[in-house]
Amino acid sequence: MRWLAALCAGSCVAIALFAAFYGYKSFEDWQSARTELSARIAALETDSRNPNREGNLKSAHHLLDLANGVVLEKAGASALVLILALAAFGASYRYAARFLTRFRLFATAAAGALIPVAVGIVVLLMLGAGAIRG
């Protein structure tokens, strides 16, 4: 059981890093989409000769609101996973630290961190193989 706690601690660290990276990338995507939509809205507001100006403005504002909602959902999910992973890491680390030496604890936690990475690589390889086959 003590080895399992150390493996779990490493896996929780890897999951927390993945969650932080996902939240960061979704925020970057939102910033670029928001910049593009804001430029589109500004162009529509200055173009008074466009016959469907009001409809296009309404559609662009709706799309901006939709993008804001999506990034809030992604950031909330990422933050929740990050908090849960860090809480689980703390509990697993404290339990494993009572039974294992520092070197064994870090070695086992590093092996545990490789488990989610290996699973992610296998999933990407399988998806890539499926995309190649068509």
Side-chain angles (χ1 to χ4, degrees), residues 68-87:
N68 290 341
V70 168
V71 78
L72 282 176
E73 289 177 2
K74 285 183 177 182
S78 177
L80 180 65
V81 169
L82 181 66
I83 290 169
L84 290 175
L86 291 177

Side-chain angles (χ1 to χ4, degrees), residues 13-90:
V13 168
I15 290 169
L17 289 174
F18 285 147
F21 181 73
Y22 177 76
Y24 175 72
K25 291 307 266 181
S26 66
F27 181 74
E28 276 187 347
D29 292 342
W30 170 75
Q31 277 186 327
S32 66
R34 181 176 175 161
T35 304
E36 179 184 328
L37 286 172
S38 297
R40 184 184 298 171
I41 289 171
L44 285 172
E45 287 176 346
T46 59
D47 186 15
S48 60
R49 292 178 286 147
N50 190 347
N52 197 13
R53 180 176 170 230
E54 295 302 320
N56 288 340
L57 274 173
K58 184 178 177 183
S59 174
H61 282 293
H62 178 69
L63 192 57
L64 187 62
D65 290 341
L66 186 65
N68 290 341
V70 168
V71 78
L72 282 176
E73 289 177 2
K74 285 183 177 182
S78 177
L80 180 65
V81 169
L82 181 66
I83 290 169
L84 290 175
L86 291 177
F89 166 75

Side-chain angles (χ1 to χ4, degrees), residues 2-16 85-86 88-97 105 108-110 112-113:
R2 59 184 181 217
W3 297 98
L4 185 62
L7 285 173
C8 179
S11 294
C12 289
V13 168
I15 290 169
L86 291 177
F89 166 75
S92 298
Y93 182 80
R94 276 185 276 138
Y95 179 76
L105 177 63
T108 310

